[in-house]
Amino acid sequence: MKNIYKKIVCLFALGLTFASCENYLDDAPKGSKIPTTLADYEAFLRDEYTNHRVNITGASQLLNDQYVTLATLSSDRLINANYMWDQNADRIALKVSDETTYYAGYQAISTFNLIIENALNTTNATEAEKRIVWAEAKVLRAMNYFNLVNFYADTYVASTATTKLSVPLITSANINAPSKQVTIQELYDFILNDVKEALPYLPKVSQTVLHPNLGTGYAFYARVFLQMNNYTEALKYADLALAENNKLYDWIAFYNSNKTLIETPGNYTTFVSPMGYNYVENYNYRHGAIDYLTTENSIPVERAQRFEAGDARFLSRWKTYTVGAETYFRRTLSGAFNFGGITTVEVYLIKAECLARDNKISDALAVLNTVRKTRILPVSYQDISTTDKTTALKAIYRTKNNELVNTLIPFADARRLNAEGVYPVSFSKVASGTTYTLPSNSHMWTMPFPQGAVKNPGNGTITQNVAK
């Protein structure tokens, strides 16, 4: 990890070649520039292809939120283990190559560490301007650590968080900085503190959608507190976030505008994704597994069946497709997809869950139905109405999983619910006459570190958080 961290620190895109480590700043290579002004450092926040990649492919495959072809299942044993829920597979042994989830995550953390260390001492800017960039980097660093801990470590449980290990915590861009694998509690405390320090300086309107604003800070706080089962604080910050932005995209209007092509059998003409940089639901934007103009994942038939009837968002994005012996739902959108940032719909559903947890069922369902009215076609729509807490929460989880499919959140939520044990998440499917299951207590809900990270952990050590 030290070698790759050195490369991350000392070489960046944007035409800026530098190192904050050791004495490399003594001389600037010909044609390169040493960052000194705030604008130099702020430019790193705009490097979306390096610093805004949130790859959670392994989690999507485990949830079967992403269709995997028979050819890939035959050729890639690690993907096969996750997708087919092979409880006996040694995923540690199979993870022989480096993994984008880990290295892209720490690559971005290195950038944010560099900004945090230097932004307040830059030139050509006011103190207020420096604080904004510093605060934006703080939020983004916290977001990356949240993603990593909810992929490579067990979920947060208060009774065990002080003893279970999480991921390496690195707070400096210096290549000789210590790399300490802290406890889950220590890492969550660090994440919360980063956001706490950033909130007073975040602008209400950011320079670009890549830059976190005040709404982003509140929304992310709500996400973290929910993962910690602190429903009071999660609700508080969900309300604050929605006060900054409460817009929902009208997927029914999108469907109606493209209805002819959508409903034409066998027509897989792709439409431009509305979920890109200008999506009205964005608090901030970050790429998912793929960080360039592309199409999104296709999904299995079984996964498609979990969407509500008349879901315009689903109907606008996927259509059944058969090739040879394989049938799945093929994607029909191309462009940009905000799979790594935070959107208003997530915050609406955080609020709905928190209200339901507090037995305010009618209020919770009012929030849920506010979302559904922008998604479910009128011919299929009915308000969800119940006085039963379990029924209400299951409806909230169903909508949330469908809304945030192929993001980290359904995976993180499932782990949280499984640890709680009241609303456990498990899966079952039949393939070629064989039944496969993923139980709620499976070790597979925690992903192993890649071998390269364990063998070369930098200035520290890494202990696997899962047996296999």
Side-chain angles (χ1 to χ4, degrees):
M1 184 173 175
K2 183 174 180 179
N3 290 336
I4 198 165
Y5 202 66
K6 179 175 180 179
K7 182 168 75 171
I8 292 165
V9 173
C10 300
L11 264 187
F12 276 89
L14 306 172
L16 302 180
T17 304
F18 65 91
S20 68
C21 43
E22 299 176 333
N23 59 352
Y24 293 123
L25 282 179
D26 290 349
D27 298 292
K30 185 177 181 180
S32 301
K33 178 181 179 181
I34 298 173
T36 55
T37 69
L38 182 66
D40 292 337
Y41 286 95
E42 185 272 329
F44 298 131
L45 296 180
R46 299 172 185 263
D47 185 5
E48 59 186 294
Y49 303 121
T50 301
N51 299 321
H52 295 278
R53 300 171 62 191
V54 182
N55 189 316
I56 51 90
T57 299
S60 289
Q61 291 170 348
L62 186 77
L63 293 176
N64 279 206
D65 281 352
Q66 171 186 340
Y67 180 73
V68 177
T69 65
L70 294 176
T72 300
L73 291 176
S74 297
S75 63
D76 193 311
R77 294 174 61 199
L78 178 60
I79 292 177
N80 184 287
N82 283 326
Y83 192 74
M84 302 306 295
W85 307 323
D86 185 352
Q87 306 290 319
N88 297 317
D90 188 344
R91 295 176 301 160
I92 296 172
L94 294 177
K95 198 172 280 193
V96 294
S97 60
D98 290 340
E99 185 166 61
T100 304
T101 303
Y102 188 87
Y103 287 98
Y106 278 104
Q107 182 176 17
I109 285 170
S110 175
T111 302
F112 305 140
N113 282 340
L114 187 83
I115 295 170
I116 292 164
E117 288 180 309
N118 293 282
L120 300 183
N121 298 315
T122 54
T123 61
N124 296 359
T126 66
E127 288 303 309
E129 291 169 336
K130 294 176 186 179
R131 278 290 177 185
I132 288 173
V133 173
W134 175 86
E136 291 167 340
K138 281 254 179 182
V139 171
L140 289 169
R141 179 173 70 177
M143 291 179 73
N144 270 42
Y145 274 122
F146 180 88
N147 296 336
L148 289 166
V149 72
N150 280 285
F151 195 87
Y152 293 110
D154 288 348
T155 195
Y156 182 92
V157 177
S159 61
T160 60
T162 57
T163 55
K164 285 189 174 183
L165 291 176
S166 62
V167 298
L169 177 61
I170 306 171
T171 60
S172 172
N174 192 307
I175 62 170
N176 293 315
S179 170
K180 182 183 179 183
Q181 188 178 7
V182 296
T183 66
I184 294 172
Q185 185 67 58
E186 287 174 313
L187 192 62
Y188 269 83
D189 288 344
F190 180 85
I191 290 168
L192 291 173
N193 187 65
D194 255 2
V195 181
K196 178 182 177 181
E197 292 184 349
L199 281 175
Y201 305 103
L202 292 172
K204 290 181 73 68
V205 179
S206 52
Q207 291 172 278
T208 76
V209 73
L210 300 174
H211 295 67
N213 54 25
L214 184 60
T216 309
Y218 289 147
F220 179 61
Y221 237 0
R223 176 189 285 180
V224 176
F225 280 120
L226 181 71
Q227 199 65 29
M228 299 176 74
N229 302 303
N230 187 334
Y231 306 116
T232 301
E233 290 298 296
L235 177 59
K236 169 186 172 182
Y237 286 102
D239 280 332
L240 287 170
L242 291 171
E244 297 296 319
N245 179 13
N246 65 356
K247 295 177 183 177
L248 289 168
Y249 185 76
D250 189 347
W251 278 95
I252 296 172
F254 180 88
Y255 177 88
N256 288 331
S257 296
N258 299 283
K259 184 175 180 178
T260 300
L261 289 175
I262 290 172
E263 293 185 351
T264 300
N267 185 348
Y268 298 94
T269 299
T270 56
F271 311 103
V272 176
S273 163
M275 297 180 286
Y277 307 104
N278 298 320
Y279 195 40
V280 297
E281 296 183 4
N282 289 342
Y283 288 109
N284 74 315
Y285 178 95
R286 306 192 80 189
H287 290 284
I290 306 298
D291 52 14
Y292 48 84
L293 191 67
T294 185
T295 53
E296 63 177 327
N297 292 325
S298 295
I299 63 175
V301 172
E302 296 85 357
R303 181 63 187 87
Q305 293 170 346
R306 298 206 295 271
F307 284 85
E308 280 194 67
D311 187 331
R313 192 168 185 263
F314 165 73
L315 295 170
S316 300
R317 295 170 66 186
W318 295 284
K319 185 179 294 186
T320 186
Y321 179 77
T322 298
V323 54
E326 301 182 63
T327 297
Y328 54 91
F329 276 73
R330 182 177 173 180
R331 71 290 181 278
T332 59
L333 295 184
S334 64
F337 302 87
N338 188 7
F339 287 151
I342 303 183
T343 56
T344 57
V345 70
E346 178 185 347
V347 179
Y348 271 103
L349 296 170
I350 288 174
K351 178 175 180 175
E353 178 178 352
C354 293
L355 289 169
R357 293 280 187 166
D358 194 29
N359 293 307
K360 297 175 180 177
I361 307 302
S362 61
D363 292 341
L365 293 179
V367 175
L368 172 62
N369 288 325
T370 296
V371 171
R372 293 177 63 249
K373 286 173 183 175
T374 65
R375 270 55 177 175
I376 310 302
L377 297 173
V379 68
S380 301
Y381 183 84
Q382 284 187 326
D383 274 348
I384 294 177
S385 179
T386 183
T387 58
D388 181 68
K389 180 177 181 179
T390 296
T391 302
L393 282 169
K394 287 184 176 179
I396 292 166
Y397 298 144
R398 179 187 186 185
T399 298
K400 192 177 183 187
N401 288 336
N402 289 337
E403 285 291 325
L404 301 175
V405 63
N406 284 317
T407 74
L408 177 70
I409 303 308
F411 181 70
D413 277 351
R415 287 153 42 92
R416 170 172 63 91
L417 296 174
N418 287 341
E420 180 189 29
V422 181
Y423 311 102
V425 177
S426 61
F427 295 105
S428 179
K429 66 181 177 183
V430 177
S432 300
T434 301
T435 299
Y436 298 87
T437 60
L438 178 65
S440 60
N441 62 353
S442 172
H443 65 279
M444 299 189 79
W445 290 104
T446 297
M447 297 292 170
F449 291 114
Q451 288 186 23
V454 176
K455 293 178 180 178
N456 189 14
N459 298 307
T461 59
I462 297 178
T463 301
Q464 283 285 4
N465 290 321
V466 64
K468 58 183 178 180

